[in-house]
Amino acid sequence: MAENKHSDALNNNKPALSEDQAVQLIESLYGVKVLNIKPLPSYDDQNFYIKSCSEDPNGCCEYVMKITNSEDSRYGELLEAQTSVMVFLCSNGVPAQKPVFTKNGQSLSLETIDYGSTIQKQAVRLLTYLPGTPLARVVATPEILFDIGKMAANIDKMLAENFLHPNKTCFERGQFIWNLSNTSLLRKYAHAVKETELQKIIEDVITQYETFVLPNLNCFRKCINHGDLNDHNILVEKTSSPGSIQEQYKVSGILDFSDMSFGYYIFELAITIMYMMIESNDPLHAGGYVLAGFQSVIPLTDEEKDALFFLVNCRFSQSLVMARYSVQLCPENEEYLMITAKTGWKHLQTLHDMGKEAVEKIWFETADSYVATH
């Protein structure tokens, strides 16, 4: 979920190009003749699926056009660094999108767009389209949840150990609201939650973070986080044979690098567990399968294990509070903004009621059991 990259303010500068405007931009900037165009969902940017009339030199004829909101478009170095991460990960076997360069050889173009009532400068990028089905549309098996945990750990490990870029410091994003180290900033937005009981849970989560996690941040291992491995940003392809008792999948795509920031390995794990719980038929055990996959690459330290429960709660709280707040600003985007909220409040309440010890027992015993039988 994209947010203001350098502060905790929420964007209300979401692009709103018509399909005709998008086609004109694509054809003028990239020389791509558009055969078909359709909108794709986005939190505070604008995305289009593009199919061209012919293949490019790399055999590609399907793309995603991304128009970045006006606020984030001010930070071209950050957008360029995000694009460089995608190229780096592709070269290391991670199924990420690749940038298509403009006629002038640029990975993005800052365009002045006339909306009639306002003129805004917004960054335009064209990325290769990745085939696959969003994880949200399939029943996630223990095996794919393990693989997703493993993929999350591998991405962070690769970036921590081998990613070199002159603008790498752009990922130090200060008061970026989606970084778990900024959980306390949620108090600014908690007024959007009207129910007294839910307000109390949010305040409990923030207080627990400040009491049990914040003092120990320097004990955690630092890295660059993808920061948004939700079930709409992970694509899968079926690997099972027709007639199989249980369908099996593999990860075929990782999308949306706009929430990348410097964080910690344990942040990525907590974020991934939270999102894998959202649509799961067995949410608590789902967390254990993700944990097993992550630890197959990066075994957790005792300090990191002790923070995991609190940090999963923090991510639930970030997503739920900011969705409520965002709907107040952009009611027309309510359906997309409230995806997490459909089951998220129920899951957060369950975690809150069960408590740290009981939840951790399920997660770590599930992880151990999975590893022992596979």
Side-chain angles (χ1 to χ4, degrees):
M1 297 182 178
E3 246 283 351
N4 186 333
K5 309 309 183 194
H6 290 263
S7 78
D8 64 330
L10 192 76
N11 289 319
N12 57 2
N13 299 307
K14 181 168 179 168
L17 267 73
S18 67
E19 291 185 4
D20 286 344
Q21 284 177 302
V23 168
Q24 289 172 12
L25 271 178
I26 287 292
E27 295 186 348
S28 64
L29 288 174
Y30 296 94
V32 172
K33 187 70 176 172
V34 177
L35 179 66
N36 186 28
I37 180 171
K38 63 180 180 182
L40 298 171
S42 178
Y43 191 77
D44 60 359
D45 298 322
Q46 189 177 21
N47 298 330
F48 289 100
Y49 165 82
I50 303 287
K51 185 165 186 176
S52 67
C53 296
S54 58
E55 295 182 352
D56 67 13
N58 295 315
C60 181
C61 65
E62 293 180 285
Y63 309 93
V64 173
M65 179 187 188
K66 295 186 71 71
I67 307 99
T68 302
N69 64 76
S70 303
E71 177 63 30
D72 294 349
S73 291
R74 296 166 53 204
Y75 305 105
E77 289 184 348
L78 176 62
L79 296 175
E80 196 277 325
Q82 292 167 358
T83 305
S84 295
V85 164
M86 289 186 268
V87 173
F88 167 80
L89 291 175
C90 278
S91 67
N92 284 276
V94 176
Q97 294 169 290
K98 298 176 184 176
V100 178
F101 293 94
T102 66
K103 292 177 183 178
N104 297 327
Q106 304 298 313
S107 63
L108 64 86
S109 180
L110 187 63
E111 294 295 308
T112 301
I113 300 173
D114 187 352
Y115 289 106
S117 60
T118 180
I119 295 176
Q120 299 190 24
K121 288 190 174 181
Q122 294 172 331
V124 175
R125 286 179 288 176
L126 192 64
L127 305 173
T128 54
Y129 175 82
L130 294 178
T133 302
L135 183 68
R137 295 186 194 163
V138 306
V139 177
T141 62
E143 289 77 16
I144 192 64
L145 292 169
F146 178 92
D147 288 346
I148 287 165
K150 186 175 180 179
M151 176 77 74
N154 275 322
I155 288 172
D156 283 15
K157 192 169 187 284
M158 287 177 194
L159 292 174
E161 295 178 356
N162 299 310
F163 179 67
L164 301 174
H165 192 276
N167 293 331
K168 191 174 178 178
T169 55
C170 290
F171 295 123
E172 294 282 5
R173 292 171 65 176
Q175 292 189 315
F176 178 49
I177 193 66
W178 294 106
N179 191 302
L180 284 168
S181 61
N182 292 322
T183 295
S184 298
L185 294 178
L186 284 180
R187 288 196 179 96
K188 287 187 176 184
Y189 305 100
H191 61 83
V193 178
K194 304 304 182 186
E195 300 90 335
T196 303
E197 183 181 4
L198 300 183
Q199 286 179 342
K200 183 182 182 304
I201 291 175
I202 296 299
E203 181 55 37
D204 285 350
V205 169
I206 296 171
T207 300
Q208 288 171 352
Y209 169 80
E210 293 170 340
T211 305
F212 300 111
V213 180
L214 186 57
N216 296 318
L217 282 183
N218 61 354
C219 298
F220 304 153
R221 291 166 293 173
K222 196 166 186 177
C223 64
I224 300 173
N225 295 142
H226 175 282
D228 198 14
L229 289 174
N230 67 58
D231 53 358
H232 293 268
N233 286 339
I234 298 171
L235 302 177
V236 296
E237 288 181 339
K238 192 181 295 186
T239 59
S240 53
S241 305
S244 298
I245 295 174
Q246 187 176 42
E247 293 184 336
Q248 297 294 339
Y249 301 89
K250 68 173 183 178
V251 176
S252 63
I254 301 294
L255 307 177
D256 194 355
F257 290 78
S258 60
D259 279 4
M260 289 183 62
S261 64
F262 270 108
Y264 304 90
Y265 288 127
I266 191 62
F267 282 12
E268 194 80 90
L269 174 58
I271 291 166
T272 308
I273 285 177
M274 173 265 176
Y275 283 123
M276 294 306 101
M277 289 178 66
I278 289 294
E279 299 297 338
S280 174
N281 297 327
D282 188 9
L284 287 171
H285 289 92
Y289 301 130
V290 176
L291 172 63
F294 196 92
Q295 287 211 111
S296 73
V297 178
I298 303 171
L300 299 182
T301 65
D302 288 343
E303 292 85 0
E304 289 165 341
K305 289 179 181 177
D306 194 53
L308 182 59
F309 171 80
F310 299 123
L311 289 168
V312 172
N313 285 344
C314 289
R315 185 54 169 207
F316 268 114
S317 299
Q318 284 179 328
S319 184
L320 294 166
V321 170
M322 296 313 296
R324 288 282 186 96
Y325 181 76
S326 300
V327 166
Q328 292 182 352
L329 297 182
C330 305
E332 71 280 1
N333 207 22
E334 181 173 2
E335 182 179 359
Y336 181 74
L337 290 169
M338 297 298 283
I339 287 173
T340 301
K342 290 177 182 176
T343 57
W345 286 111
K346 180 183 70 175
H347 290 330
L348 179 58
Q349 190 145 19
T350 297
L351 293 174
H352 182 264
D353 292 346
M354 288 182 64
K356 181 176 185 287
E357 185 176 348
V359 173
E360 284 180 345
K361 187 173 189 293
I362 293 172
W363 284 345
F364 285 95
E365 286 185 357
T366 300
D368 290 342
S369 176
Y370 182 89
V371 171
T373 56
H374 287 76

